[in-house]
Amino acid sequence: MVIHEQQGATDVAGHARKAPVQPVVSDRLDGLFGALSPRKRVVASQLPVTLTVALMVIAAVIFSPETLANNMFLAALLFHLAIFAACISIQWARLPAAAFAVIPLLDCLAIGFTRQAGGPAFNVLSMMLVFPVILLSAQVQPYMPVLAIAGTVLSTVAPSAVQGSPPAGESMIRTLILPLVMSVIALTAHVVATTIRRHRVRLVENEQDLARTLDQSVRRQALLDAVLKAVGVGVWVVDVRGHTVLANRAMRPDPALAVVMDAAGAQSELLMADRCTPVPAGLLPAARAAAGEAFTDELYWAGPAGRQRAYSVSSHGFPPAGGQEGGAVITCVDVTTLINALAAKDDFVATVSHELRTPLTSILGYLELVLDEPGHEDIQAELLVVRRNADHLLNLVNDLIAVASEQMDLSLAEADLARVLALEVDAALPKAAAKGLQLVLDARQPLPGRLDPERIGQVVRNLLSNAIKYSPNGGLIRASAVRTDAGLVCSITDTGLGMTEEEQEQAFTKFFRSARSRETAIPGAGLGLPVSKTIVEGHGGSIRLDSAPGVGTTATFVLPES
C-alpha cells in the first residue's frame, strides 16, 4: 500500500489532498501508483483482498468441496465479487475524497460472512481483516482508524446477528479479541504512516532546501566567474601552503604576472620596490599570504631588465569553513603606467623648480642691495613685502625640489632639540595669539642629539603651522619633546578639526589636502607633511599622525640615537 502525502498527490480514491510541499523525488512504486487513474488506484488497493479470496476458493475446491455447497458461503463469495465489481464500475473521481472508505468497510463485512459461513476451518480468514484495516488506518484523516475498528467489530457481530444466534463461547472470545487486536494494528498503522509521512515531508523539504542552495551556489559561482573574467585586476587565490587554487584570466596571459605567481624559481626576476633587490623566498606574495600576513598595495617589479612591470599587490586571508581549508586572495594591479607618470611628474616638478630657483635667488639678491642702499625709505615697506613673498616662494620651490627628489641634503651636527623646539615655538607665538590660541611648550632642556637643526626646525615649523591653521579660535596647542628608549621624541598636539582614517593615510602624499581644508579655504600647498617626512626619514627617524575628527591631531616624529 502506497500513500502519497505531498501537495498534488492523491489518496486511494484518486482525490487530491493538500499537503505542505510538492514532491521532488519519489520512489518507483510511488511513481507507478501515482500514475494510475482514480479508478485503477481503487482497484489496485482492492486486489490484495480479491486475490486472497480467489486463493481461498481454490483451496476450498481442493480441500473442502462441500463448503461450496453452502448457500451462505456462496453468498459471501458473491459479496466479494460485487465489491470488486463496484471498484471497477464506480466513477471515484466524481465522489468525495472519503467515499473510498466504503470499500474496506464492505470488505470487513464480506470477510466476516465468509469466515462465519466456512466454519471453524475458515477461522484463519480473520487475518484478511489486516488488509482493509491497514488501508483505512494509513490515511491522513484521523477518523479513518475509528472506521477500521468499527469495520472489525462489524465483521464479528453482523454475521451472528444475521444468523440470529448471539455469539457465545469461542465466538464470544473472537468477538472481543479480534477487534482488540485489529484496534492495536489500526492505531499502529496510523502512527507508523503518520511518522513516515512526516519524515517524507521533512526529506522533501530538505531536498528542496538543498536544491535551492545548489541553485544559489551555481548562480553565485556563475556571477563570480563573470566578475573574475570581467575585471582587469589579477585575482589569485592560494591555500595555506601557498599553492594556487584559482587564478582569473587577467593573471595568465601576462608573463610578468606568471613570475609573480611562481613561488619556486622566480626570486631572481621578482624585485622589491627599489627595482634592484630580489625578493627573498619568504617575502614572495604567495609565501606571505600563506603565512597569514595581510598586506595592501605592496609594490613589486617583475620581468627581465628593460621590460620590467610594476605591480601593486595586496593580500587578504579567509578562514576555513565548511570543511574546506582557509587561504588568501591576492590581487595584482599593473601600475607601471602610473609609476612612470608619477616619475615624469616628479621630473617635471624638479626641473621647473630648479628653473624657478635661479631667478628667485637673483631677485632676492637685488632686493637686499636695494634695501641696503639709502634713498628708498619711502617704498621700504613695499620692498619688505616683496622680499617676504619672494622668500616664501623660494621656500616653496625648495620644498618642491625636496619632495620631487625624495631626499634632502642634511648638515648633521650636535644640537639641542629642546632649544630648536623653543625657538620655533617663540616664532609661532604671534601667529597663534592672533587666532586666540594658547601655545604651550613642554620640553626639558637640554635634549642633545646629532641632527640638522635647520631642517628639524623646518619640520617643527611645518607641524606648528598646520596645528595653528587647523585649530579653531581659543584652542590649545602643546609642543613637547622628551628622550625615550627609542630616541628623541617630539610631538605637536592640537585641539583642531582632526582627520579621518582615510585622510591620515593620504596625509604624507604630495599635494594632498583634505576636503574640509579646501571647503574652508585654509591656505596650503600640501607639501608640509611630505617635506617633514623626507627630512625625518633622512635622519633615520619616523613620523606619524594620531587624529580623530573633531578631537584634534597629534603629530609625532622620532629621531633615533646616533
Side-chain angles (χ1 to χ4, degrees):
M1 192 65 56
V2 181
I3 309 298
H4 292 271
E5 297 304 330
Q6 288 72 35
Q7 185 178 4
T10 56
D11 56 22
V12 174
H15 295 276
R17 287 196 310 273
K18 292 183 180 180
V21 293
Q22 179 72 23
V24 178
V25 179
S26 60
D27 55 41
R28 183 177 300 176
L29 187 59
D30 279 342
L32 292 176
F33 191 79
L36 298 176
S37 64
R39 180 184 301 174
K40 290 180 180 179
R41 191 174 292 113
V42 174
V43 171
S45 301
Q46 182 63 19
L47 278 179
V49 175
T50 302
L51 292 177
T52 303
V53 171
L55 292 175
M56 180 265 296
V57 171
I58 295 173
V61 170
I62 298 175
F63 300 106
S64 182
E66 64 277 6
T67 306
L68 298 176
N70 188 324
N71 290 332
M72 186 176 178
F73 188 80
L74 291 177
L77 294 180
L78 289 176
F79 192 9
H80 281 291
L81 185 61
I83 294 172
F84 189 69
C87 292
I88 297 175
S89 59
I90 293 176
Q91 297 290 333
W92 295 102
R94 299 180 180 179
L95 298 178
F100 86 99
V102 174
I103 297 300
L105 287 175
L106 293 176
D107 282 336
C108 291
L109 288 174
I111 292 170
F113 280 110
T114 305
R115 182 195 63 231
Q116 186 75 16
F122 287 86
N123 283 341
V124 71
L125 291 179
S126 297
M127 296 180 60
M128 290 179 58
L129 290 171
V130 171
F131 294 124
V133 166
I134 292 180
L135 178 62
L136 286 170
S137 302
Q139 303 307 308
V140 177
Q141 296 85 353
Y143 59 82
M144 288 295 182
V146 178
L147 292 179
I149 297 172
T152 303
V153 174
L154 286 175
S155 72
T156 58
V157 175
S160 299
V162 170
Q163 287 182 341
S165 57
E170 294 181 358
S171 297
M172 191 64 188
I173 294 175
R174 183 174 63 248
T175 302
L176 296 175
I177 298 299
L178 185 60
L180 182 61
V181 173
M182 289 301 163
S183 298
V184 174
I185 293 176
L187 293 176
T188 303
H190 188 72
V191 170
V192 171
T194 301
T195 302
I196 293 174
R197 184 181 307 120
R198 186 165 52 248
H199 284 296
R200 174 179 291 179
V201 170
R202 190 174 301 164
L203 287 174
V204 171
E205 290 175 346
N206 290 340
E207 287 182 353
Q208 290 181 330
D209 290 340
L210 289 174
R212 284 192 294 268
T213 302
L214 177 61
D215 182 65
Q216 292 174 357
S217 298
V218 171
R219 289 177 179 272
R220 284 196 294 265
Q221 183 63 44
L223 177 61
L224 176 61
D225 291 341
V227 171
L228 291 178
K229 291 178 181 178
V231 298
V233 176
V235 179
W236 176 27
V237 182
V238 298
D239 58 22
V240 293
R241 292 173 294 279
H243 298 157
T244 299
V245 176
L246 171 69
N248 70 338
R249 183 181 300 173
M251 291 290 294
R252 299 192 177 280
D254 191 337
L257 277 179
V259 170
V260 176
M261 292 177 62
D262 184 3
Q267 294 92 327
S268 60
E269 294 191 10
L270 188 61
L271 305 177
M272 303 290 281
D274 60 5
R275 304 184 68 171
C276 299
T277 306
V279 179
L283 295 181
L284 288 169
R288 295 174 63 185
E293 180 182 354
F295 52 91
T296 303
D297 295 332
E298 295 282 348
L299 186 63
Y300 291 93
W301 288 87
R307 289 182 294 148
Q308 291 178 338
R309 307 289 297 177
Y311 292 94
S312 176
V313 182
S314 302
S315 173
H316 300 279
F318 57 88
Q324 301 293 324
E325 63 181 10
V329 178
I330 303 173
T331 57
C332 302
V333 182
D334 189 340
V335 293
T336 308
T337 303
L338 177 61
I339 294 295
N340 292 337
L342 291 175
K345 183 199 70 173
D346 289 342
D347 290 342
F348 173 77
V349 170
T351 301
V352 172
S353 299
H354 280 290
E355 293 298 325
L356 289 174
R357 184 162 59 176
T358 300
L360 278 173
T361 303
S362 178
I363 291 172
L364 285 170
Y366 281 109
L367 275 174
E368 291 297 331
L369 292 176
V370 171
L371 287 170
D372 290 339
E373 291 183 359
H376 301 91
E377 290 77 7
D378 54 338
I379 60 170
Q380 186 174 13
E382 288 79 2
L383 292 175
L384 290 175
V385 171
V386 173
R387 186 177 66 177
R388 183 171 62 252
N389 284 280
D391 284 333
H392 175 71
L393 185 57
L394 182 60
N395 290 332
L396 181 61
V397 169
N398 290 332
D399 289 345
L400 286 171
I401 295 174
V403 297
S405 62
E406 295 186 352
Q407 61 183 3
M408 189 167 292
D409 295 331
L410 301 175
S411 300
L412 300 180
E414 292 296 327
D416 183 3
L417 177 61
R419 177 174 174 77
V420 172
L421 182 61
L423 291 174
E424 296 300 335
V425 168
D426 288 340
L429 279 173
K431 186 182 294 186
K435 288 192 64 176
L437 300 173
Q438 184 180 1
L439 183 54
V440 177
L441 174 64
D442 181 12
R444 296 181 181 178
Q445 295 182 340
L447 294 174
R450 187 167 179 79
L451 51 92
D452 186 332
E454 182 179 348
R455 291 302 186 184
I456 294 301
Q458 183 180 357
V459 173
V460 174
R461 190 161 52 252
N462 289 338
L463 299 181
L464 285 173
S465 175
N466 285 342
I468 294 172
K469 285 191 297 185
Y470 294 99
S471 293
N473 294 342
L476 172 66
I477 300 174
R478 183 178 298 275
S480 61
V482 294
R483 185 185 299 276
T484 66
D485 294 338
L488 297 177
V489 180
C490 181
S491 298
I492 306 297
T493 302
D494 64 61
T495 56
L497 299 177
M499 307 172 69
T500 64
E501 292 185 3
E502 294 77 9
E503 290 171 343
Q504 292 178 60
E505 292 176 357
Q506 298 292 325
F508 293 101
T509 303
K510 288 173 284 189
F511 307 111
F512 171 78
R513 303 194 69 224
S514 66
R516 282 175 298 174
S517 65
R518 294 193 299 270
E519 292 169 359
T520 54
I522 296 176
L527 293 175
L529 288 177
V531 169
S532 299
K533 183 173 183 290
T534 301
I535 294 172
V536 171
E537 291 181 348
H539 283 77
S542 62
I543 186 171
R544 71 175 188 274
L545 298 177
D546 296 300
S547 183
V551 176
T553 302
T554 297
T556 303
F557 66 89
V558 181
L559 302 178
E561 295 286 357
S562 302

